[in-house]
Amino acid sequence: MTQEHIVKQFDKNLEKIKTTIVEMGGLVGLQLNDATAVLSAYDAAEVERISTYDRIINGLNKDIHDRAEILIVRRQPVALDLRQTLAPINISGELERIGDHAKSTAKRAYTIHTIPSDDAAIELFARMSVVVQAMLNDVLKAYEDADIKLAAKIIAQDKEVDILNKKLLQGVIETLAKAPGMAESLIHLTLISRNFERIGDHICNIARYVHQIVTGDDLKASSHTAHARTDI
Amino acid sequence: MTDPIITARGIDIFYDTTQAIKGVDLDILPNKVTALIGPSGCGKSTFLRAINRMNDLIPICHMNGELKIVGQDIYAPEVDVVALRAQVGMVFQKPNPFPKSIFENVAYGLKIHKMTTSKSELQDRVEWSLKSAGLWNEVSDRLDHAGNSLSGGQQQRLCIARAIAVKPKVILMDEPCSALDPIATAVVEELIDNLREEYTIVIVTHSMQQAARISQRTAFFHLGSLVEYGDTKTIFTMPADERTQNYITGRIG
Amino acid sequence: MIDLTKKAGFNLSSRHRAERRFQWAGRSAILIALLFLVIMIGTIARDASGVFRQTQIAVQVDLDAETPSSSYGRIIKTALRDMFPDVSTRRDKKRLYSLVSPEGSFEIARMVVDNPALIGGSHRLWLTASDDLDLYLRGKVDTNLSEHQRRISDAEIRWVDNLRAAGHLRRVINWGFLTKGDSREPEIAGIFSALVGSAYSLAVCFALSFPIGIGAAIYLEEFAPTNWVSDLIEVNINNLAAVPSIVFGLLGLSIFLGYLGLPRSSPLVGGMVLALMTLPTIIIAARAALRAVPPSFKEAALALGASPVQAVFHHVFPVAMPGMLTGAIIGMAQALGETAPLLMIGMVAFIVDVPESILEPATALPVQIFLWADSPERAFTEKTAAAIVVLLIFLIAMNLIAILLRRKLETRF
């Protein structure tokens, strides 16, 4: 879409940040996958793997910060380049938090296997996971391709996750009334559902950052006059 | 939005048959620093020199269009170009103090325009100019030394003092820092920032970072046309035209 | 591994040889030039060396109060007869009298005017000896030649030897060379009138050519529009600089002398002709000096609101001044040495009196040299060489002034 920089190294630096984000996103996706699998059938190895990925993801997060810092020092980026340098810092943060939620989900999954739980809920989680994982893959693709249409689709898709979350909460409330003894497991289920909902939100944030990189508009800001501050 | 102090409409400037500036419309706002940026040969210096009619010195250079300063057409037949240049000052790329003393450099404009009536008034004005240019502390004890015994940055500030001594309405600067080292540049940039309270400044610069640092309005010229003109913040964060973006991000020459 | 020695290749030995060859060629050129210079100056100095002393002969004279000045000549003759009483024949007597310079009687007159106490007594006065006596004393006469081939006869030689033995001869510094005007007699000929004539001519030349030349150069360089007219003027000025100087002499003859009727042989006309000749040189040098001024000063002045005339005269002109002055003085030095145009306007005449104003007839140094070189007397050879030395000193002095002025004006830059 845009031309290359005269200084090729500049393009290489930006490209490297991009691929690192995608790599990080890929690992987070694997974490999500494993966490979902653990929900159905506990596997200690998978839980272990999630922790391993966690360490790598932290390393990549630091790497992105460092690269962005050096790029600002070296190139004094403006306009598009600046957005392409600053946004990954935020995106990386969001990815990291997604990873944390995946880890927390996996840990909780262990718990529910030891207590009687609701199969319907697990079914729901599977569906939520599918949606969320698809969203994650899409947002990474949207980031790579600077595709704001795809980013918009993802934001819309989050509603689906929210609906599923609400459905689960309703189910929990109903079950709680019927079988108070299942309270412990129901709480865990609620929290797991909330994790997925949060993951959806974080992916939405990444989609907004993708939009901001391309257009400069911050979709989170409520009004257009946010840019008109003259004392900056 | 305040009234512009300089308005340019439909400016075409030719060197013989080559067109250097094509159909430029531009409003310069008062008490602001306006930066003119663009690649080499885009015409920004030519446009700058049209504002104080320094292009008149080049026989093959001729202009169409209307250029008004404070509402007056500066190319009208009754305009005295000497009067124009007494009110529109210029600072050049390479510092060019006269081969005279520091005092004489600053006093020259005051003398030829007979702006002071007594010797003490002249001395006061010279002192005021040097203070405004941030040079007084460094040279007050050697006003009779040659102007070119100063360092590059000091010489440029002397040239600025010389220009502001006559209290012009507008100061034009053609790449004033390109011959200076980073510290001298920073000192001059600070000076420019202070000066904009009293003067309107139009500065041509090759350094985009400098334009981003010191200007409030930026105009991007490309191949003789004015591509984009707006608030500096906007130009450098979200330029409207792709050519502008390509230039400021270093994507084309 | 990196080889930085001579054996590293890169065609080094051949290039160094070429360097050395060039150095030696340069040195030889300088040496040859210096050699010629030394020979020329040495020859002239040697030829001129004798000029600065003259021989004087002592005569015992009686000065009466009533003796009219016209009879000082007879008094000298009497004194000589007294010294050599055995001289009898008319021819010998003539030879005897010729030992003292014909100027002798005028010298006594001047002495009496300076010191009236001399009257009424017998005094031993020192008078200038003749040029032949002087030449003989300095050993410049070839005594091996037969008498007819010499200017000084055997009898005179005997008398001179006698006088020398008796202590009646002495050699003194000849200030007259620099203070007196030209003369038929080489022993009293001086260069002063030519010096004054040259000085007046150069003064007129400078007064005319410098302002006009500088003004023209400033106008042509700074104010004249660039069109074919200016190009034509520039070409013509360059051509005029190459025109032989005698053409300017012809111009002076026909217009200044013929049409305007100005006094012939005067430094005024000489100066005007020289001015015409040096104008192109001054204009060309001044234009080059103006062009060498960095345009940034003028630009800065104009941008401040100076008018074009102010910008040029306040900023360009002072900076160009050293170069202009150097060009002017070089032009003057050139004018000093010009003979042909001055000959055409009549400064070739034999002028004895020192000119008092620029309207009186005068001669010039190079013309004087020309005249003396033409004279048959042997003694004038020395005078010619001495005059050349004076001219060279004058030229060197002018060039030194040029260098000093330039240095003084440049330091203010």
Side-chain angles (χ1 to χ4, degrees):
Chain A
M1 186 185 81
T2 46
Q3 279 177 281
E4 284 188 334
H5 288 92
I6 297 169
V7 180
K8 297 289 177 282
Q9 202 59 37
F10 199 167
D11 288 317
K12 285 201 188 114
N13 296 147
L14 283 172
E15 192 59 33
K16 184 65 187 167
I17 291 181
K18 195 183 269 189
T19 53
T20 310
I21 290 277
V22 171
E23 193 186 332
M24 209 175 153
L27 288 173
V28 168
L30 288 174
Q31 281 183 323
L32 270 178
N33 206 3
D34 284 343
T36 316
V38 165
L39 280 175
S40 324
Y42 184 73
D43 184 344
E46 276 170 347
V47 176
E48 188 59 42
R49 212 165 43 208
I50 290 173
S51 294
T52 314
Y53 289 159
D54 211 35
R55 279 192 290 279
I56 301 174
I57 285 167
N58 284 338
L60 290 175
N61 185 29
K62 184 174 184 308
D63 189 39
I64 285 167
H65 274 108
D66 290 343
R67 284 185 192 281
E69 195 177 74
I70 302 274
L71 205 142
I72 289 172
V73 163
R74 278 210 184 114
R75 314 284 171 202
Q76 286 113 48
V78 289
L80 179 65
D81 295 340
L82 184 60
R83 299 196 292 272
Q84 283 180 338
T85 306
L86 291 178
I89 296 175
N90 292 322
I91 293 174
S92 158
E94 302 283 346
L95 284 173
E96 223 207 335
R97 259 160 273 149
I98 296 174
D100 286 344
H101 286 307
K103 212 168 67 180
S104 142
T105 304
K107 286 201 179 121
R108 245 175 245 294
Y110 172 69
T111 327
I112 32 175
H113 285 301
T114 59
I115 49 173
S117 62
D118 191 341
D119 285 329
I122 310 259
E123 177 67 42
L124 212 57
F125 287 152
R127 275 171 67 189
M128 279 172 97
S129 173
V130 163
V131 173
V132 151
Q133 279 184 74
M135 277 168 73
L136 181 62
N137 285 333
D138 281 346
V139 92
L140 289 173
K141 190 162 183 304
Y143 169 67
E144 243 185 326
D145 299 339
D147 188 345
I148 55 175
K149 284 203 179 67
L150 187 54
K153 201 179 117 212
I154 292 158
I155 294 171
Q157 234 180 337
D158 192 42
K159 290 195 179 48
E160 227 185 293
V161 179
D162 288 344
I163 291 170
L164 288 172
N165 186 35
K166 276 207 184 77
K167 218 170 147 187
L168 183 126
L169 277 181
Q170 256 181 314
V172 161
I173 292 169
E174 278 168 17
T175 314
L176 195 54
K178 277 189 275 178
M182 288 185 72
E184 198 185 328
S185 70
L186 286 174
I187 289 173
H188 286 304
L189 291 176
T190 313
L191 291 173
I192 291 173
S193 178
R194 219 190 64 154
N195 276 346
F196 277 109
E197 196 250 327
R198 283 281 169 270
I199 290 173
D201 283 345
H202 286 307
I203 295 175
C204 246
N205 287 341
I206 297 177
R208 287 197 191 96
Y209 284 127
V210 169
H211 184 92
Q212 190 181 35
I213 289 176
V214 175
T215 64
D217 291 327
D218 185 356
L219 292 174
K220 263 191 174 169
S222 47
S223 67
H224 293 289
T225 55
H227 289 299
R229 290 190 67 180
T230 48
D231 57 343
I232 300 171
Chain B
M1 191 77 146
T2 39
D3 284 332
I5 187 172
I6 301 176
T7 55
R9 293 283 175 272
I11 303 289
D12 294 314
I13 304 181
F14 297 85
Y15 287 109
D16 219 0
T17 50
T18 317
Q19 190 165 14
I21 289 284
K22 302 178 175 118
V24 168
D25 294 336
L26 190 61
D27 287 343
I28 306 282
L29 300 175
N31 295 107
K32 296 247 184 288
V33 179
T34 303
L36 308 182
I37 62 170
S40 289
C42 67
K44 49 194 197 292
S45 282
T46 305
F47 183 77
L48 188 81
R49 290 165 65 97
I51 301 175
N52 67 347
R53 288 182 63 169
M54 285 298 272
N55 284 335
D56 289 5
L57 301 173
I58 303 167
I60 56 168
C61 186
H62 58 273
M63 194 186 95
N64 298 331
E66 188 188 71
L67 234 180
K68 288 186 176 169
I69 298 183
V70 196
Q72 215 195 338
D73 182 2
I74 62 174
Y75 283 86
E78 68 267 12
V79 165
D80 188 335
V81 84
V82 167
L84 171 69
R85 294 188 191 139
Q87 299 178 79
V88 178
M90 187 171 238
V91 176
F92 297 85
Q93 183 174 352
K94 192 167 171 300
N96 53 7
F98 301 131
K100 296 180 196 279
S101 70
I102 293 170
F103 185 88
E104 285 301 319
N105 262 282
V106 182
Y108 183 68
L110 298 166
K111 282 185 180 169
I112 55 172
H113 297 310
K114 286 212 160 48
M115 284 181 161
T116 55
T117 45
S118 71
K119 197 163 165 202
S120 62
E121 199 188 334
L122 181 68
Q123 283 173 335
D124 288 340
R125 269 290 265 274
V126 169
E127 184 178 332
W128 170 85
S129 303
L130 287 169
K131 280 191 174 143
S132 302
L135 200 55
W136 177 252
N137 290 336
E138 294 167 56
V139 302
S140 59
D141 55 340
R142 46 182 172 135
L143 290 176
D144 56 337
H145 284 210
N148 47 30
S149 65
L150 301 172
S151 73
Q154 288 173 320
Q155 283 188 23
Q156 194 62 306
R157 280 183 283 150
L158 177 63
C159 293
I160 293 174
R162 179 176 70 184
I164 62 181
V166 299
K167 293 213 170 113
K169 303 260 184 319
V170 178
I171 303 177
L172 306 174
M173 299 194 180
D174 195 347
E175 297 187 48
C177 299
S178 60
L180 306 179
D181 69 76
I183 293 179
T185 300
V187 174
V188 171
E189 285 183 7
E190 171 68 10
L191 173 60
I192 291 174
D193 204 36
N194 292 333
L195 286 175
R196 70 180 165 98
E197 275 178 62
E198 303 264 340
Y199 308 94
T200 302
I201 299 176
V202 184
I203 175 169
V204 165
T205 178
H206 262 148
S207 163
M208 284 174 289
Q209 279 72 42
Q210 182 173 70
R213 283 193 295 267
I214 62 174
S215 70
Q216 289 75 53
R217 307 274 295 169
T218 299
F220 171 57
F221 283 79
H222 187 51
L223 298 175
S225 303
L226 175 62
V227 170
E228 195 172 338
Y229 176 52
D231 283 339
T232 300
K233 282 189 318 308
T234 315
I235 297 274
F236 282 97
T237 53
M238 276 198 301
D241 194 298
E242 192 177 339
R243 285 173 289 175
T244 315
Q245 172 136 283
N246 282 341
Y247 178 67
I248 63 175
T249 56
R251 284 184 154 90
I252 45 167
Chain C
M1 267 303 291
I2 184 169
D3 188 359
L4 300 172
T5 66
K6 286 201 182 72
K7 300 194 204 70
F10 304 111
N11 199 21
L12 281 170
S13 48
S14 156
R15 284 152 77 179
H16 285 312
R17 260 183 283 132
E19 292 279 321
R20 276 193 297 272
R21 272 200 301 271
F22 178 75
Q23 299 267 2
W24 276 113
R27 280 186 212 126
S28 330
I30 294 177
L31 278 171
I32 292 174
L34 276 176
L35 191 68
F36 276 112
L37 195 66
V38 164
I39 290 175
M40 181 189 91
I41 293 187
T43 322
I44 292 178
R46 185 202 60 192
D47 285 344
S49 56
V51 152
F52 294 103
R53 298 181 91 100
Q54 69 178 179
T55 311
Q56 287 185 330
I57 182 169
V59 290
Q60 194 73 28
V61 295
D62 286 317
L63 291 170
D64 232 316
E66 287 111 39
T67 321
S69 45
S70 51
S71 52
Y72 286 144
R74 252 188 301 123
I75 291 177
I76 295 174
K77 289 179 183 162
T78 316
L80 285 170
R81 279 201 306 273
D82 288 342
M83 280 197 273
F84 293 96
D86 44 302
V87 173
S88 49
T89 66
R90 196 184 163 82
R91 196 173 61 164
D92 280 344
K93 279 190 190 160
K94 252 186 88 175
R95 283 196 181 131
L96 182 64
Y97 300 151
S98 74
L99 283 177
V100 176
S101 163
E103 184 74 5
S105 54
F106 301 107
E107 288 183 0
I108 297 183
R110 282 196 286 271
M111 283 186 216
V112 165
V113 164
D114 284 343
N115 186 5
L118 288 173
I119 300 178
S122 177
H123 303 278
R124 185 165 181 259
L125 299 174
W126 287 99
L127 303 175
T128 309
S130 76
D131 55 322
D132 298 317
L133 195 161
D134 185 70
L135 278 174
Y136 169 70
L137 266 187
R138 288 194 280 130
K140 299 248 185 250
V141 176
D142 189 355
T143 42
N144 289 328
L145 294 171
S146 71
E147 202 176 13
H148 321 288
Q149 291 172 312
R150 290 184 252 125
R151 281 178 63 96
I152 190 164
S153 61
D154 292 337
E156 286 166 279
I157 290 176
R158 261 184 290 122
W159 297 326
V160 169
D161 290 338
N162 268 334
L163 286 169
R164 182 169 39 189
H168 291 310
L169 294 176
R170 71 173 187 186
R171 304 209 70 220
V172 295
I173 294 179
N174 178 14
W175 291 115
F177 178 69
L178 293 172
T179 54
K180 296 215 203 96
D182 197 11
S183 165
R184 281 263 133 69
E185 308 300 327
E187 62 268 10
I188 53 162
I191 206 170
F192 190 60
S193 63
L195 262 176
V196 171
S198 265
Y200 278 151
S201 305
L202 276 183
V204 171
C205 174
F206 186 78
L208 284 173
S209 61
F210 189 69
I212 297 177
I214 301 295
I218 291 179
Y219 179 77
L220 286 170
E221 194 61 29
E222 301 287 345
F223 297 106
T226 38
N227 52 23
W228 64 271
V229 174
S230 303
D231 290 338
L232 191 66
I233 293 175
E234 180 161 359
V235 168
N236 278 318
I237 290 176
N238 288 341
N239 285 336
L240 277 172
V243 162
S245 50
I246 195 160
V247 174
F248 293 101
L250 286 169
L251 189 72
L253 179 64
S254 62
I255 296 183
F256 299 144
L257 296 181
Y259 192 70
L260 293 176
L262 294 170
R264 172 181 277 275
S265 304
S266 59
L268 175 67
V269 178
M272 286 166 82
V273 168
L274 290 175
L276 284 178
M277 206 186 74
T278 49
L279 256 181
T281 312
I282 291 183
I283 293 177
I284 291 171
R287 282 188 81 167
L290 286 165
R291 246 177 250 149
V293 177
S296 57
F297 299 134
K298 195 175 160 200
E299 236 192 350
L302 289 170
L304 259 182
S307 66
V309 166
Q310 282 176 323
V312 168
F313 278 97
H314 292 166
H315 300 286
V316 178
F317 181 62
V319 172
M321 192 47 145
M324 286 185 184
L325 263 177
T326 310
I329 290 186
I330 290 174
M332 291 301 116
Q334 197 186 358
L336 173 66
E338 282 294 334
T339 323
L342 300 177
L343 293 178
M344 292 308 302
I345 57 133
M347 285 176 103
V348 72
F350 174 67
I351 307 291
V352 173
D353 298 318
V354 175
E356 310 255 299
S357 78
I358 59 172
L359 295 170
E360 285 187 24
T363 186
L365 265 176
V367 174
Q368 186 73 90
I369 293 172
F370 172 67
L371 287 176
W372 280 348
D374 238 11
S375 295
E377 281 101 329
R378 176 73 196 273
F380 271 127
T381 320
E382 296 185 329
K383 302 277 181 190
T384 314
I388 293 175
V389 168
V390 171
L391 182 62
L392 285 176
I393 291 175
F394 210 140
L395 283 167
I396 292 173
M398 288 180 83
N399 275 310
L400 271 174
I401 295 174
I403 294 171
L404 285 171
L405 262 174
R406 168 171 218 125
R407 210 175 285 174
K408 184 167 184 292
L409 288 170
E410 262 180 356
T411 50
R412 259 198 273 139
F413 182 91

